[in-house]
Amino acid sequence: MDKLREKLKEVFGFSQFRGNQEVVIRNVMEGKNTFVIMPTGAGKSLCYQLPALMKEGTAIVISPLIALMKNQVDQLNAFGVNARFLNSTLTKGEMTRVKKETLSGDIKLLYVAPESLTKEENIEFLKQAKISFAAVDEAHCISEWGHDFRPEYRRIKSILDAIGDLPLIALTATATPKVQLDIKKNLVMDDADVFISSFNRQNLYYEVRPKVHAKKQLIKFIKDHRHKSGIVYCLSRKKVEEIAEFLKVNDVKAAPYHAGLEPSVRVKNQDDFLNEEVEVIVATIAFGMGIDKPDVRFVIHYDTPKSLEGYYQETGRSGRDGLEGNCILFYRYKDVLKLEKFQKDKTVTERENAKLLLDEMSMYAESSVCRRKQLLHYFGEKYDESNCGKTMWCDVCKYPPETYEGKNHVVTVLEAVKQTDQRFGLKHTSDVIRGVENPHVKSYKHNRLPIFGNGKDDKEEFWSSVIRQTLLHHYLEKDLESIGVLKITRLGEEFLKHPKSITLVKDKDFESLIEKEDNEPHIVTKSYDEHLFDLLKKLRKDVARKKNLPPYVIFQDPSLEEMATVYPTTKEELAKINGVGMGKITKFGKPFLDLIQEYVDENDIITASDVVIKSAINKSKTKIFIIQQIDRKIDLQEIADAKGLTFSELIDEIENICYSGTKLNLDYYIENMLEPEKQEDAYDYFMNAPSDRISDALDELGEEEYDEEDLRLLRVKFLSDHAN
Ligand code: ADP
Ligand code: MG
Ligand code: ZN
């Protein structure tokens, strides 16, 4: 034992082992099969590196990422340890040298990529070498239930067997009970001693937010955490680029990171983040593995992740120094559906696997059970506190949900599982409880069970939440062999015999929350300042009267509502409001800005200008093209054809251009479109009409005389003349 510690100090310079390291190392030294589950950054590498140094011969380390392999080997070499790697990046000469050194017994650790391990010539060579033991790092890659499945990992065991009878150590930072079982089965190490460290990261705060006005929420959060390091994860490269750009124009030091970038750019952005030239890195999940920045203060998932395992791993990158770490997830069910669609070209099994992982993800997000409890349960860890307790809190514990007495509900669930012989999953069980007569239920004659339809008054979401909570209370468990099948535990049997009071929580209805907020045209619900809105309306009326124009020409209602929400006091801020362009600001802006300024001063209002959101792209290419073509007096039909638009779609674009404040001169087109008298009549109409609705105009002016497109173009001319 003292020898181990001596070596630890001598080679690595550490004076103490951390956590489970010592017991694990001793187990490996004894030649036993060992299975290590330890969170990222806890120090798994040492668990095989130290025994490799102590034992005779060469240890094989199988590791999935060539880049990390080189890194580890470099580090070991720097400690004076003779380690090498064997992978496809080596030249023939280098390969020969590595093999020679291994055979002569000089190399203590040989890192091998799984692809290289499967090559016949390498197997032959390894057979001749003296191998001390084999380590399988990132062992979750063996399981298609993990978040990072590598098919070559499946062949590891048979190849190792061909090499010799080697003790194994498998290591991973993340493994659900299902994945643990897969690893053990695949590596044929049922006899292995398992060492699991707790995954509870006490300094991390978990929160799930409905994904509405996500950009606004994002910028607000980042501005509230100014000058702190953070990671924003997005699912696609395109999204990464978009969000990085969006943050940059909003004065956040941000940079993108994804596999599609030039390697030099990628490396630079990563270094800039590590050196704090960049504060926020916007990345796909390609970013983070092997990155060890201790003071990442937040990890935001802008898109819903594909699995809870991946999610937990990614959030784990915050607060490694033990201080604050905020983990915010923007969730909406639509994201989940999108992810399912991406799977459509995969095999049936792959699709089903992906779907189950996604189901877990959405249940986690939508549930009102303590996040920490759910996450730890997912990783097979018992968490007996009823909520976050002494740790940093989660959103659920911070804002406790509604609860209800669930005794009878839990009994119903357990009865349903029992009466269906413990052979079905969550969906079927809830169907039986709710009395759904679908073909599946009928084929098992489950519609004749006494429990059938007992819970018909409640929705599917409700019962799925009850079943989940029954699982979390350990009355039910998921069968590890047949995916998703629910079994009653001993505790559950007892509960059925003697039901007792149990408090369950009500889930929030996420989708309706999102819809409700999404339907509001501008920034959060009707939270605009109604008093200011009235004042603005009054001002608009006065201005309109003075200019002899209808009020809507000045600003439309949604624009006023937005002003009464964000209180713009400068021209730049005013220009951010929907429907307000520079043209309008020059013509009408001043009195409105004055009014708002006065109002803000009088009422001590903190303006929203610190949350002003600039959009990255003001005008799309199409819009610019249309403006240029109209400037050159090109026929509208030609413009539409050039862009592959229908005529009506072109008018949509023209209207958008006009409403956002750009003046368009359509006279050249309108002159040839209608006789002058008709033009005048319509023009007069718009001048005096109470609204600018086209249907009203058609009623008034007569459908025989005008068609809709003519009127829409005339309205654009009218607004361009007077408003822009
Ligand atoms: P993991 O593979 O579990 O994510 P690593 O093996 O890469 O973690 O180790 C993470 C960091 O912890 C490394 O910088 C390593 O040098 C350090 N470390 C490991 N063991 C110890 C120890 N006993 N004392 C101090 N630092 C350690
Ligand atoms: Mg590691
Ligand atoms: Zn909690």
Side-chain angles (χ1 to χ4, degrees):
M1 184 187 125
D2 280 340
K3 266 202 193 141
L4 285 181
R5 210 159 278 187
E6 261 169 40
K7 199 81 178 165
L8 178 71
K9 183 78 194 151
E10 175 199 323
V11 178
F12 298 95
F14 302 140
S15 36
Q16 267 174 328
F17 288 107
R18 273 194 196 156
N20 279 342
Q21 277 177 338
E22 188 170 351
V23 276
V24 168
I25 289 170
R26 236 185 287 162
N27 213 62
V28 177
M29 288 304 293
E30 284 170 25
K32 294 190 194 158
N33 286 337
T34 312
F35 187 7
V36 180
I37 302 171
M38 229 186 234
T40 305
K44 284 183 289 300
S45 325
L46 201 83
C47 297
Y48 54 82
Q49 288 170 346
L50 195 61
L53 296 181
M54 309 283 290
K55 286 193 163 216
E56 215 180 302
T58 307
I60 304 177
V61 183
I62 298 155
S63 163
L65 288 174
I66 290 179
L68 291 185
M69 209 179 268
K70 179 165 175 355
N71 211 319
Q72 290 217 15
V73 167
D74 286 346
Q75 278 178 16
L76 284 169
N77 292 163
F79 283 125
V81 173
N82 194 2
R84 293 281 178 269
F85 59 79
L86 194 65
N87 64 34
S88 51
T89 66
L90 294 184
T91 63
K92 255 220 147 83
E94 288 169 330
M95 189 80 92
T96 315
R97 212 181 113 207
V98 168
K99 288 188 180 176
K100 217 176 101 205
E101 282 183 40
T102 309
L103 291 175
S104 69
D106 288 341
I107 292 182
K108 293 315 289 178
L109 287 115
L110 182 66
Y111 283 74
V112 189
E115 308 75 75
S116 309
L117 189 66
T118 52
K119 289 217 177 81
E120 198 53 49
E121 75 253 30
N122 291 333
I123 300 176
E124 279 313 309
F125 140 70
L126 288 168
K127 269 189 199 168
Q128 294 161 30
K130 178 163 177 43
I131 306 296
S132 49
F133 66 92
V136 182
D137 206 356
E138 315 286 352
H140 59 274
C141 294
I142 261 180
S143 170
E144 54 196 351
W145 295 98
H147 55 92
D148 202 15
F149 176 46
R150 310 280 167 114
E152 321 86 59
Y153 257 65
R154 297 268 174 145
R155 298 187 49 205
I156 291 176
K157 177 61 181 172
S158 56
I159 293 166
L160 289 177
D161 279 349
I163 296 170
D165 184 18
L166 304 173
L168 281 183
I169 171 171
L171 311 99
T172 174
T174 150
T176 60
K178 173 70 193 149
V179 174
Q180 288 176 30
L181 187 78
D182 270 5
I183 294 174
K184 281 200 204 168
K185 256 200 191 157
N186 252 283
L187 293 176
V188 198
M189 48 193 291
D190 305 315
D191 62 329
D193 299 302
V194 184
F195 300 90
I196 303 180
S197 313
S198 172
F199 274 65
N200 190 7
R201 296 276 308 274
Q202 308 221 351
N203 55 322
L204 301 193
Y205 168 75
Y206 297 95
E207 178 173 344
V208 180
R209 299 186 177 185
K211 190 170 177 181
V212 262
H213 307 300
K215 281 190 181 165
K216 194 181 167 93
Q217 291 197 54
L218 182 68
I219 199 80
K220 173 102 173 59
F221 183 93
I222 291 175
K223 294 211 165 171
D224 285 347
H225 294 79
R226 261 213 171 287
H227 306 311
K228 297 199 172 147
S229 284
I231 306 174
V232 178
Y233 280 111
C234 303
L235 275 177
S236 66
R237 297 171 185 186
K238 199 169 139 240
K239 200 47 165 242
V240 165
E241 294 285 347
E242 182 194 326
I243 298 294
E245 199 49 44
F246 163 74
L247 291 180
K248 276 194 246 170
V249 296
N250 282 285
D251 307 321
V252 176
K253 284 190 199 159
Y257 186 102
H258 59 71
L261 292 171
E262 286 289 320
S264 59
V265 177
R266 223 179 332 153
V267 170
K268 180 179 186 314
N269 289 353
Q270 176 176 320
D271 287 348
D272 284 352
F273 180 63
L274 295 177
N275 304 331
E276 308 194 342
E277 298 291 325
V278 156
E279 286 163 2
V280 178
I281 194 112
V282 186
T284 58
I285 51 173
F287 180 82
M289 250 222 235
I291 295 224
D292 193 6
K293 184 166 167 51
D295 58 349
V296 173
R297 291 286 157 251
F298 57 88
V299 169
I300 297 176
H301 282 79
Y302 191 84
D303 296 316
T304 307
K306 289 183 211 159
S307 76
L308 264 185
E309 273 197 86
Y311 170 70
Y312 196 67
Q313 181 91 337
E314 284 138 28
T315 57
R317 295 180 182 136
S318 64
R320 287 201 191 187
D321 54 7
L323 302 178
E324 178 184 297
N326 294 286
C327 311
I328 314 291
L329 164 65
F330 288 121
Y331 171 81
R332 70 177 305 166
Y333 190 61
K334 258 196 203 152
D335 277 6
V336 175
L337 292 178
K338 223 186 329 177
L339 285 170
E340 266 175 41
K341 267 200 215 128
F342 288 160
Q343 302 287 331
K344 71 176 191 306
D345 298 328
K346 302 268 175 73
T347 65
V348 177
T349 332
E350 280 174 322
R351 258 186 332 222
E352 279 172 0
N353 292 356
K355 170 135 182 42
L356 281 165
L357 293 175
L358 281 170
D359 283 349
E360 292 282 357
M361 193 66 231
S362 51
M363 278 194 274
Y364 166 79
E366 292 178 25
S367 165
S368 291
V369 172
C370 169
R371 308 280 173 213
R372 190 163 260 109
K373 200 179 176 83
Q374 290 189 72
L375 286 167
L376 293 176
H377 182 267
Y378 187 69
F379 291 102
E381 198 172 315
K382 259 204 168 139
Y383 185 66
D384 286 330
E385 312 272 336
S386 58
N387 62 28
C388 285
K390 293 186 283 292
T391 63
M392 261 307 264
W393 284 23
C394 70
D395 58 336
V396 176
C397 294
K398 203 163 154 191
Y399 313 106
E402 256 183 82
T403 59
Y404 60 97
E405 170 54 53
K407 180 162 84 178
N408 295 335
H409 298 96
V410 173
V411 169
T412 303
V413 165
L414 292 173
E415 269 303 329
V417 173
K418 195 173 192 143
Q419 292 181 20
T420 53
D421 295 327
Q422 314 197 40
R423 285 173 46 216
F424 297 87
L426 192 150
K427 173 78 170 64
H428 186 83
T429 308
S430 114
D431 282 349
V432 170
I433 294 173
R434 287 169 53 238
V436 178
E437 290 208 46
N438 61 26
H440 198 240
V441 168
K442 279 199 252 174
S443 72
Y444 289 101
K445 304 201 169 61
H446 285 164
N447 48 341
R448 299 193 199 152
L449 295 175
I451 199 72
F452 183 79
N454 263 19
K456 61 178 180 310
D457 293 338
D458 287 299
K459 286 202 282 191
E460 183 173 353
E461 294 77 30
F462 174 82
W463 282 109
S464 115
S465 151
V466 175
I467 296 171
R468 241 185 100 67
Q469 294 184 63
T470 310
L471 276 160
L472 287 169
H473 280 94
H474 307 287
Y475 295 132
L476 283 178
E477 65 189 2
K478 280 192 183 162
D479 190 30
L480 292 182
E481 295 291 341
S482 31
I483 290 305
V485 167
L486 302 171
K487 301 259 186 223
I488 300 177
T489 61
R490 224 175 21 100
L491 273 178
E493 293 289 355
E494 234 159 74
F495 190 98
L496 265 182
K497 268 182 233 147
H498 313 284
K500 55 182 188 194
S501 168
I502 174 170
T503 306
L504 298 184
V505 297
K506 256 188 207 165
D507 285 351
K508 278 187 270 188
D509 185 350
F510 249 77
E511 278 314 291
S512 76
L513 269 177
I514 287 176
E515 261 162 37
K516 212 171 93 211
E517 298 204 20
D518 244 13
N519 284 340
E520 300 300 336
H522 300 290
I523 317 171
V524 258
T525 54
K526 272 251 179 296
S527 63
Y528 65 81
D529 184 330
E530 287 177 39
H531 188 57
L532 176 59
F533 180 72
D534 290 343
L535 294 175
L536 289 169
K537 253 175 119 162
K538 207 163 142 282
L539 175 62
R540 176 175 71 180
K541 217 160 143 199
D542 294 345
V543 174
R545 200 177 299 129
K546 264 191 229 137
K547 305 234 172 194
N548 218 358
L549 289 168
Y552 66 81
V553 173
I554 317 285
F555 293 119
Q556 303 213 346
D557 273 8
S559 303
L560 295 190
E561 275 180 21
E562 208 175 315
M563 289 178 210
T565 310
V566 300
Y567 306 99
T569 51
T570 66
K571 283 184 183 175
E572 289 69 34
E573 287 169 12
L574 188 57
K576 302 281 145 31
I577 306 279
N578 264 310
V580 181
M582 269 307 166
K584 275 197 183 183
I585 293 178
T586 319
K587 277 198 169 165
F588 313 119
K590 180 115 192 3
F592 287 86
L593 286 173
D594 289 348
L595 171 73
I596 296 168
Q597 184 68 60
E598 199 180 316
Y599 185 85
V600 162
D601 291 344
E602 257 173 35
N603 295 287
D604 259 350
I605 286 166
I606 300 162
T607 70
S609 55
D610 53 354
V611 222
V612 174
I613 298 175
K614 303 170 198 165
S615 71
I617 309 132
N618 277 328
K619 289 198 175 99
S620 72
K621 283 200 184 114
T622 308
K623 290 207 171 68
I624 292 169
F625 177 82
I626 293 171
I627 295 168
Q628 287 170 342
Q629 298 300 89
I630 289 177
D631 255 7
R632 290 182 200 140
K633 303 199 183 352
I634 306 292
D635 184 70
L636 293 188
Q637 189 60 55
E638 253 176 64
I639 303 178
D641 292 345
K643 278 284 151 192
L645 301 171
T646 65
F647 198 69
S648 164
E649 283 166 351
L650 175 70
I651 301 179
D652 289 344
E653 293 285 351
I654 291 177
E655 283 172 345
N656 283 331
I657 293 169
C658 168
Y659 286 140
S660 62
T662 302
K663 209 179 176 94
L664 289 175
N665 189 344
L666 291 172
D667 290 354
Y668 72 99
Y669 184 84
I670 291 175
E671 269 161 29
N672 298 318
M673 178 182 87
L674 278 177
E675 302 96 79
E677 306 89 79
K678 278 195 183 174
Q679 287 181 38
E680 253 167 59
D681 286 352
Y683 213 83
D684 279 351
Y685 167 80
F686 281 120
M687 191 58 126
N688 298 304
S691 92
D692 64 348
R693 259 206 302 275
I694 292 293
S695 55
D696 292 352
L698 274 174
D699 280 351
E700 184 68 25
L701 294 163
E703 284 182 54
E704 312 80 47
E705 304 290 322
Y706 298 84
D707 65 33
E708 186 176 330
E709 287 164 355
D710 295 346
L711 284 177
R712 285 172 69 190
L713 287 171
L714 278 167
R715 179 173 61 181
V716 169
K717 172 176 158 56
F718 174 77
L719 288 170
S720 275
D721 288 351
H722 293 283
N724 290 338

